[in-house]
Amino acid sequence: MELFGALYGNEKLKSTAASDLLRGKHSHAYIIEGPEGSGRHTAARLIAQSVLCNRDSDERFPCGTCLSCRKIADGICTDVIYVNRGKAASIGIDAMRELKSSLTYAPVESEYKIYIIEDADKMTVQAQNSLLLSLEEPPSFVVFILICKDSSLLLETVRSRAQTVRMQLFSASEILRYLEENPLKKSKCDPSSAAASCGGAIGKAVSLIEGESSDELKDAALCLESLPLLLSKSLTDRLSLVKSFPAKRDDAVRFLKTLTNAVRDLVAVKRAPECELLFFADRKRAEELAAKTDLAKLVSLSQAISSSVEKISANVSIQPVLTLLVSYK
Ligand SMILES: [Zn+2]
Protein backbone atom coordinates (compact mmCIF):
# COMPACT_ATOMS: atom_id res chain seq x y z
CA MET A 1 0.00 0.00 0.00
CA GLU A 2 1.20 3.46 -0.87
CA LEU A 3 1.29 5.88 2.05
CA PHE A 4 0.97 9.60 1.37
CA GLY A 5 1.44 8.75 -2.31
CA ALA A 6 1.37 12.33 -3.54
CA LEU A 7 4.30 13.30 -1.38
CA TYR A 8 7.76 12.89 -2.90
CA GLY A 9 10.42 11.48 -0.56
CA ASN A 10 9.85 12.20 3.15
CA GLU A 11 10.15 8.50 4.02
CA LYS A 12 10.43 9.23 7.74
CA LEU A 13 7.12 11.08 7.72
CA LYS A 14 5.52 8.16 5.90
CA SER A 15 6.92 5.58 8.30
CA THR A 16 5.80 7.49 11.41
CA ALA A 17 2.84 9.86 11.09
CA ALA A 18 1.35 8.25 7.98
CA SER A 19 1.55 4.68 9.26
CA ASP A 20 0.03 5.74 12.62
CA LEU A 21 -2.82 7.36 10.71
CA LEU A 22 -3.32 4.20 8.68
CA ARG A 23 -3.78 2.30 11.95
CA GLY A 24 -6.42 4.81 12.98
CA LYS A 25 -4.17 6.57 15.46
CA HIS A 26 -3.69 10.27 15.14
CA SER A 27 -2.20 12.97 17.27
CA HIS A 28 -4.53 15.81 18.30
CA ALA A 29 -1.96 18.35 17.08
CA TYR A 30 0.76 18.40 14.44
CA ILE A 31 3.42 20.99 13.67
CA ILE A 32 4.62 20.78 10.07
CA GLU A 33 7.92 22.59 9.66
CA GLY A 34 9.95 23.40 6.55
CA PRO A 35 10.87 26.12 4.07
CA GLU A 36 8.45 27.44 1.45
CA GLY A 37 7.88 24.91 -1.31
CA SER A 38 8.95 21.94 0.77
CA GLY A 39 5.50 20.29 0.63
CA ARG A 40 4.15 21.46 4.00
CA HIS A 41 0.69 22.27 2.64
CA THR A 42 0.53 18.97 0.79
CA ALA A 43 1.51 17.16 3.98
CA ALA A 44 -1.19 19.04 5.95
CA ARG A 45 -3.80 18.10 3.35
CA LEU A 46 -2.68 14.46 3.40
CA ILE A 47 -2.93 14.35 7.20
CA ALA A 48 -6.42 15.91 7.03
CA GLN A 49 -7.45 13.40 4.35
CA SER A 50 -5.99 10.51 6.37
CA VAL A 51 -7.98 11.49 9.47
CA LEU A 52 -11.24 11.79 7.51
CA CYS A 53 -10.70 9.19 4.74
CA ASN A 54 -13.53 6.68 4.24
CA ARG A 55 -11.23 4.41 2.18
CA ASP A 56 -12.59 3.49 -1.19
CA SER A 57 -9.43 1.62 -2.07
CA ASP A 58 -6.74 -0.35 -0.30
CA GLU A 59 -4.05 0.58 -2.76
CA ARG A 60 -3.16 3.84 -1.17
CA PHE A 61 -3.82 5.81 1.95
CA PRO A 62 -5.43 8.28 2.07
CA CYS A 63 -7.44 6.85 -0.82
CA GLY A 64 -7.87 10.18 -2.62
CA THR A 65 -11.15 9.01 -4.16
CA CYS A 66 -13.75 8.88 -1.35
CA LEU A 67 -16.02 11.89 -0.86
CA SER A 68 -14.01 13.25 2.10
CA CYS A 69 -10.69 12.96 0.28
CA ARG A 70 -12.09 14.68 -2.80
CA LYS A 71 -13.71 17.51 -0.86
CA ILE A 72 -10.50 18.18 1.05
CA ALA A 73 -8.47 18.16 -2.18
CA ASP A 74 -10.90 20.70 -3.66
CA GLY A 75 -10.79 22.84 -0.52
CA ILE A 76 -14.55 22.53 0.07
CA CYS A 77 -14.72 20.28 3.14
CA THR A 78 -16.59 22.25 5.81
CA ASP A 79 -14.78 20.41 8.58
CA VAL A 80 -11.32 21.43 7.43
CA ILE A 81 -10.91 25.02 8.56
CA TYR A 82 -7.99 27.15 7.41
CA VAL A 83 -6.71 29.96 9.62
CA ASN A 84 -4.22 32.42 8.13
CA ARG A 85 -2.98 35.95 8.58
CA GLY A 86 -4.31 37.24 5.26
CA LYS A 87 -2.48 40.49 4.57
CA ALA A 88 -1.56 41.13 8.19
CA ALA A 89 2.01 40.68 9.41
CA SER A 90 0.98 38.34 12.21
CA ILE A 91 -1.84 36.18 13.53
CA GLY A 92 -3.20 37.98 16.57
CA ILE A 93 -5.41 37.23 19.51
CA ASP A 94 -8.61 38.11 17.60
CA ALA A 95 -8.09 35.26 15.13
CA MET A 96 -7.58 32.89 18.05
CA ARG A 97 -10.74 34.13 19.80
CA GLU A 98 -12.68 33.47 16.62
CA LEU A 99 -11.14 30.00 16.32
CA LYS A 100 -11.94 29.19 19.93
CA SER A 101 -15.53 30.34 19.67
CA SER A 102 -16.12 27.78 16.90
CA LEU A 103 -14.14 25.02 18.57
CA THR A 104 -16.90 23.41 20.59
CA TYR A 105 -19.33 23.03 17.66
CA ALA A 106 -19.35 19.46 16.45
CA PRO A 107 -18.14 18.67 12.93
CA VAL A 108 -20.78 19.05 10.22
CA GLU A 109 -20.15 16.18 7.84
CA SER A 110 -17.25 14.20 9.29
CA GLU A 111 -16.09 12.50 12.43
CA TYR A 112 -13.45 15.15 13.13
CA LYS A 113 -12.86 18.86 12.63
CA ILE A 114 -9.41 19.90 11.47
CA TYR A 115 -7.95 23.36 11.98
CA ILE A 116 -5.01 24.14 9.71
CA ILE A 117 -3.12 27.22 10.93
CA GLU A 118 -0.86 28.57 8.18
CA ASP A 119 2.26 30.62 9.07
CA ALA A 120 1.76 29.49 12.66
CA ASP A 121 5.18 30.91 13.56
CA LYS A 122 3.66 34.33 12.85
CA MET A 123 1.23 33.95 15.76
CA THR A 124 1.81 36.60 18.41
CA VAL A 125 2.79 35.37 21.87
CA GLN A 126 -0.70 36.27 23.13
CA ALA A 127 -2.27 34.31 20.27
CA GLN A 128 -0.07 31.30 21.05
CA ASN A 129 -0.89 31.48 24.74
CA SER A 130 -4.56 31.63 23.89
CA LEU A 131 -4.24 28.62 21.57
CA LEU A 132 -2.33 26.75 24.24
CA LEU A 133 -5.41 26.23 26.40
CA SER A 134 -7.18 24.61 23.45
CA LEU A 135 -4.13 22.48 22.64
CA GLU A 136 -4.06 21.23 26.22
CA GLU A 137 -7.65 20.10 26.26
CA PRO A 138 -9.14 20.13 22.78
CA PRO A 139 -12.61 18.67 22.20
CA SER A 140 -12.18 14.99 21.28
CA PHE A 141 -13.23 15.68 17.67
CA VAL A 142 -10.64 18.42 16.97
CA VAL A 143 -7.24 18.07 15.28
CA PHE A 144 -4.85 21.01 14.91
CA ILE A 145 -2.24 21.26 12.17
CA LEU A 146 0.24 24.15 12.53
CA ILE A 147 2.26 24.94 9.41
CA CYS A 148 5.44 26.96 9.92
CA LYS A 149 8.90 27.71 8.57
CA ASP A 150 10.64 27.66 11.92
CA SER A 151 9.09 25.87 14.88
CA SER A 152 11.65 27.41 17.27
CA LEU A 153 9.56 30.61 16.99
CA LEU A 154 6.68 28.79 18.66
CA LEU A 155 6.45 28.73 22.45
CA GLU A 156 8.01 25.63 23.98
CA THR A 157 4.66 24.95 25.66
CA VAL A 158 2.97 24.89 22.23
CA ARG A 159 5.69 22.70 20.68
CA SER A 160 5.55 20.17 23.50
CA ARG A 161 1.84 19.56 22.89
CA ALA A 162 2.13 18.64 19.23
CA GLN A 163 3.85 16.03 17.09
CA THR A 164 6.46 17.81 14.95
CA VAL A 165 6.89 16.76 11.34
CA ARG A 166 9.96 18.15 9.55
CA MET A 167 9.76 18.29 5.78
CA GLN A 168 12.76 16.86 3.99
CA LEU A 169 14.97 19.00 1.75
CA PHE A 170 16.27 17.37 -1.41
CA SER A 171 19.64 17.47 -3.11
CA ALA A 172 19.85 19.30 -6.44
CA SER A 173 20.33 16.00 -8.30
CA GLU A 174 17.23 14.45 -6.63
CA ILE A 175 15.16 17.49 -7.63
CA LEU A 176 16.46 17.27 -11.17
CA ARG A 177 15.45 13.59 -11.29
CA TYR A 178 11.98 14.47 -9.94
CA LEU A 179 11.53 17.21 -12.56
CA GLU A 180 12.60 14.87 -15.33
CA GLU A 181 10.23 12.14 -14.15
CA ASN A 182 7.34 14.59 -13.71
CA PRO A 183 7.64 16.99 -16.64
CA LEU A 184 5.50 20.13 -16.40
CA LYS A 185 3.37 21.38 -19.25
CA LYS A 186 4.45 24.99 -19.25
CA SER A 187 8.13 25.37 -18.79
CA LYS A 188 9.77 28.77 -18.54
CA CYS A 189 13.24 27.61 -17.59
CA ASP A 190 15.36 24.50 -17.79
CA PRO A 191 15.11 21.97 -14.93
CA SER A 192 18.77 22.19 -13.93
CA SER A 193 18.55 25.96 -13.28
CA ALA A 194 15.39 25.39 -11.24
CA ALA A 195 17.09 22.61 -9.26
CA ALA A 196 20.01 24.94 -8.50
CA SER A 197 17.82 27.85 -7.47
CA CYS A 198 15.26 26.23 -5.21
CA GLY A 199 17.33 25.59 -2.07
CA GLY A 200 16.25 21.94 -1.83
CA ALA A 201 12.48 22.61 -1.98
CA ILE A 202 10.63 20.75 -4.73
CA GLY A 203 7.57 23.04 -4.74
CA LYS A 204 9.85 26.01 -5.24
CA ALA A 205 11.54 24.29 -8.20
CA VAL A 206 8.11 23.68 -9.75
CA SER A 207 7.06 27.33 -9.36
CA LEU A 208 10.37 28.42 -10.92
CA ILE A 209 9.77 26.19 -13.93
CA GLU A 210 6.24 27.51 -14.27
CA GLY A 211 7.66 31.01 -14.39
CA GLU A 212 6.08 32.24 -11.17
CA SER A 213 9.36 33.58 -9.88
CA SER A 214 12.40 34.56 -11.85
CA ASP A 215 14.51 36.46 -9.30
CA GLU A 216 15.86 33.23 -7.88
CA LEU A 217 16.87 32.04 -11.35
CA LYS A 218 18.75 35.28 -11.96
CA ASP A 219 20.43 34.85 -8.58
CA ALA A 220 21.53 31.30 -9.45
CA ALA A 221 22.89 32.41 -12.82
CA LEU A 222 24.76 35.31 -11.19
CA CYS A 223 26.21 32.90 -8.60
CA LEU A 224 27.55 30.59 -11.28
CA GLU A 225 28.94 33.55 -13.19
CA SER A 226 30.58 35.15 -10.13
CA LEU A 227 32.06 32.11 -8.42
CA PRO A 228 35.20 31.76 -10.59
CA LEU A 229 36.16 35.39 -9.85
CA LEU A 230 35.02 35.19 -6.24
CA LEU A 231 37.38 32.25 -5.69
CA SER A 232 40.24 34.02 -7.44
CA LYS A 233 43.46 34.74 -5.53
CA SER A 234 43.54 38.24 -7.02
CA LEU A 235 41.82 40.85 -4.85
CA THR A 236 41.44 43.13 -7.88
CA ASP A 237 39.46 40.38 -9.64
CA ARG A 238 37.22 39.92 -6.62
CA LEU A 239 36.66 43.66 -6.12
CA SER A 240 35.52 43.91 -9.74
CA LEU A 241 32.52 41.77 -8.79
CA VAL A 242 30.94 44.25 -6.37
CA LYS A 243 29.34 46.34 -9.12
CA SER A 244 27.63 43.27 -10.59
CA PHE A 245 26.00 42.26 -7.27
CA PRO A 246 22.44 43.47 -6.56
CA ALA A 247 22.35 47.00 -5.16
CA LYS A 248 18.95 46.85 -3.45
CA ARG A 249 18.72 45.48 0.07
CA ASP A 250 16.13 42.71 -0.46
CA ASP A 251 17.73 41.62 -3.73
CA ALA A 252 21.19 41.54 -2.15
CA VAL A 253 19.98 39.42 0.80
CA ARG A 254 18.18 36.97 -1.49
CA PHE A 255 21.22 36.69 -3.78
CA LEU A 256 23.58 36.15 -0.86
CA LYS A 257 21.36 33.36 0.47
CA THR A 258 21.64 31.56 -2.87
CA LEU A 259 25.40 32.18 -2.80
CA THR A 260 25.47 30.63 0.70
CA ASN A 261 24.00 27.40 -0.72
CA ALA A 262 26.52 27.36 -3.58
CA VAL A 263 29.54 27.92 -1.32
CA ARG A 264 28.17 25.40 1.20
CA ASP A 265 28.26 22.83 -1.64
CA LEU A 266 31.89 23.69 -2.43
CA VAL A 267 32.83 23.20 1.24
CA ALA A 268 30.89 19.93 1.20
CA VAL A 269 32.68 18.45 -1.84
CA LYS A 270 36.03 19.21 -0.17
CA ARG A 271 35.03 17.78 3.20
CA ALA A 272 32.88 14.80 2.27
CA PRO A 273 33.06 13.84 -1.40
CA GLU A 274 29.97 11.58 -1.21
CA CYS A 275 27.61 14.14 0.37
CA GLU A 276 24.45 15.46 -1.32
CA LEU A 277 24.55 18.93 -2.89
CA LEU A 278 21.87 21.60 -2.53
CA PHE A 279 22.83 24.04 -5.29
CA PHE A 280 24.81 22.14 -7.91
CA ALA A 281 22.88 19.52 -9.87
CA ASP A 282 26.10 19.10 -11.87
CA ARG A 283 28.57 17.72 -9.34
CA LYS A 284 31.51 18.03 -11.75
CA ARG A 285 31.03 21.78 -11.93
CA ALA A 286 31.15 21.99 -8.10
CA GLU A 287 34.32 19.90 -8.00
CA GLU A 288 36.02 22.08 -10.63
CA LEU A 289 35.20 25.24 -8.71
CA ALA A 290 36.21 23.76 -5.35
CA ALA A 291 39.55 22.72 -6.85
CA LYS A 292 40.35 26.40 -7.48
CA THR A 293 40.88 27.08 -3.80
CA ASP A 294 41.43 25.46 -0.40
CA LEU A 295 39.01 24.52 2.36
CA ALA A 296 40.11 27.27 4.78
CA LYS A 297 39.39 29.95 2.15
CA LEU A 298 35.97 28.48 1.39
CA VAL A 299 35.05 28.40 5.06
CA SER A 300 36.21 32.00 5.43
CA LEU A 301 34.14 33.01 2.38
CA SER A 302 31.12 31.21 3.78
CA GLN A 303 31.48 33.12 7.08
CA ALA A 304 31.93 36.41 5.20
CA ILE A 305 28.67 35.78 3.32
CA SER A 306 26.64 34.99 6.41
CA SER A 307 27.94 38.03 8.28
CA SER A 308 27.12 40.16 5.19
CA VAL A 309 23.54 38.83 5.19
CA GLU A 310 23.22 39.82 8.85
CA LYS A 311 24.65 43.31 8.28
CA ILE A 312 22.61 44.06 5.17
CA SER A 313 19.44 42.81 6.88
CA ALA A 314 20.30 45.13 9.79
CA ASN A 315 20.34 48.16 7.44
CA VAL A 316 24.12 48.63 7.12
CA SER A 317 25.07 50.28 3.75
CA ILE A 318 25.29 47.62 1.09
CA GLN A 319 28.34 48.62 -0.96
CA PRO A 320 30.88 48.65 1.92
CA VAL A 321 29.52 45.31 3.18
CA LEU A 322 29.89 43.69 -0.27
CA THR A 323 33.41 45.16 -0.62
CA LEU A 324 34.35 43.64 2.71
CA LEU A 325 32.78 40.33 1.64
CA VAL A 326 34.84 39.94 -1.53
CA SER A 327 37.97 40.93 0.43
CA TYR A 328 37.66 37.81 2.62
CA LYS A 329 40.98 36.33 3.69
ZN1 LIG B 1 -10.37 8.70 1.11
Side-chain angles (χ1 to χ4, degrees), residues 5 20-21 89-90 104 126 139 145 182 186 204 208 212 237 273:
D20 279 352
L21 285 158
S90 58
T104 47
Q126 293 94 319
I145 303 177
N182 301 278
K186 54 170 187 170
K204 179 92 190 173
L208 286 169
E212 283 162 22
D237 277 359

Side-chain angles (χ1 to χ4, degrees), residues 49 52-56 62-70:
Q49 284 179 323
L52 301 183
C53 180
N54 297 314
R55 284 181 67 185
D56 269 354
C63 76
T65 47
C66 70
L67 187 61
S68 289
C69 279
R70 280 186 283 129

Side-chain angles (χ1 to χ4, degrees), residues 74 82 84 117 214 226 233 260 272 292 300:
D74 293 340
Y82 282 85
N84 55 49
I117 305 179
S214 60
S226 314
K233 289 192 179 68
T260 305
K292 282 176 159 286
S300 150

Side-chain angles (χ1 to χ4, degrees), residues 5 13 18 33 67 136 162 190 198 228 234 245 249-250 257 272 295:
L13 168 60
E33 176 183 32
L67 187 61
E136 278 171 336
D190 76 287
C198 68
S234 148
F245 286 172
R249 200 167 296 280
D250 290 352
K257 285 185 175 164
L295 182 58

Side-chain angles (χ1 to χ4, degrees), residues 268-305:
V269 292
K270 286 254 192 218
R271 272 203 179 129
E274 68 289 345
C275 65
E276 299 282 8
L277 303 182
L278 209 57
F279 178 83
F280 289 91
D282 176 4
R283 189 174 197 96
K284 257 218 159 90
R285 182 82 188 109
E287 285 166 357
E288 280 164 18
L289 283 165
K292 282 176 159 286
T293 186
D294 57 43
L295 182 58
K297 282 249 162 43
L298 285 171
V299 171
S300 150
L301 171 58
S302 168
Q303 286 162 351
I305 299 169

Side-chain angles (χ1 to χ4, degrees), residues 42-287:
T42 307
R45 178 173 49 74
L46 287 165
I47 289 175
Q49 284 179 323
S50 300
V51 172
L52 301 183
C53 180
N54 297 314
R55 284 181 67 185
D56 269 354
S57 113
D58 274 336
E59 277 165 32
R60 55 186 189 137
F61 180 76
C63 76
T65 47
C66 70
L67 187 61
S68 289
C69 279
R70 280 186 283 129
K71 279 191 160 182
I72 294 169
D74 293 340
I76 53 168
C77 179
T78 41
D79 295 320
V80 176
I81 300 128
Y82 282 85
V83 178
N84 55 49
R85 63 194 166 99
K87 285 187 178 152
S90 58
I91 300 176
I93 187 93
D94 289 345
M96 282 308 120
R97 281 203 190 106
E98 201 178 310
L99 181 155
K100 287 170 84 170
S101 69
S102 73
L103 210 56
T104 47
Y105 296 116
V108 178
E109 52 183 332
S110 328
E111 211 178 325
Y112 294 95
K113 224 163 50 155
I114 298 169
Y115 288 88
I116 300 181
I117 305 179
E118 298 175 308
D119 290 330
D121 44 2
K122 295 274 162 65
M123 280 190 287
T124 62
V125 170
Q126 293 94 319
Q128 291 189 50
N129 274 321
S130 160
L131 176 68
L132 189 60
L133 297 171
S134 311
L135 281 176
E136 278 171 336
E137 279 179 54
S140 60
F141 49 77
V142 164
V143 175
F144 288 104
I145 303 177
L146 279 60
I147 298 178
C148 63
K149 272 191 193 151
D150 181 1
S151 68
S152 71
L153 298 174
L154 295 170
L155 297 174
E156 168 58 29
T157 40
V158 169
R159 282 203 306 265
S160 65
R161 279 168 182 82
Q163 181 179 343
T164 299
V165 170
R166 281 192 188 82
M167 299 308 291
Q168 178 191 344
L169 286 178
F170 297 91
S171 69
S173 60
E174 283 172 318
I175 291 184
L176 190 57
R177 197 178 339 124
Y178 172 83
L179 293 173
E180 281 163 0
E181 285 167 7
N182 301 278
L184 293 157
K185 276 188 199 122
K186 54 170 187 170
S187 177
K188 297 255 170 81
C189 80
D190 76 287
S192 58
S193 317
S197 317
C198 68
I202 283 188
K204 179 92 190 173
V206 169
S207 73
L208 286 169
I209 290 216
E210 290 181 333
E212 283 162 22
S213 169
S214 60
D215 290 337
E216 283 85 354
L217 288 170
K218 281 190 214 142
D219 290 342
L222 183 59
C223 274
L224 282 171
E225 220 175 277
S226 314
L227 275 167
L229 276 183
L230 192 57
L231 301 173
S232 161
K233 289 192 179 68
S234 148
L235 181 59
T236 321
D237 277 359
R238 286 188 260 142
L239 284 168
S240 73
L241 279 175
V242 174
K243 61 179 185 309
S244 65
F245 286 172
K248 281 193 192 152
R249 200 167 296 280
D250 290 352
D251 295 345
V253 168
R254 200 193 53 240
F255 165 70
L256 290 177
K257 285 185 175 164
T258 307
L259 191 61
T260 305
N261 287 340
V263 173
R264 174 211 156 270
D265 277 4
L266 301 183
V267 171
V269 292
K270 286 254 192 218
R271 272 203 179 129
E274 68 289 345
C275 65
E276 299 282 8
L277 303 182
L278 209 57
F279 178 83
F280 289 91
D282 176 4
R283 189 174 197 96
K284 257 218 159 90
R285 182 82 188 109
E287 285 166 357

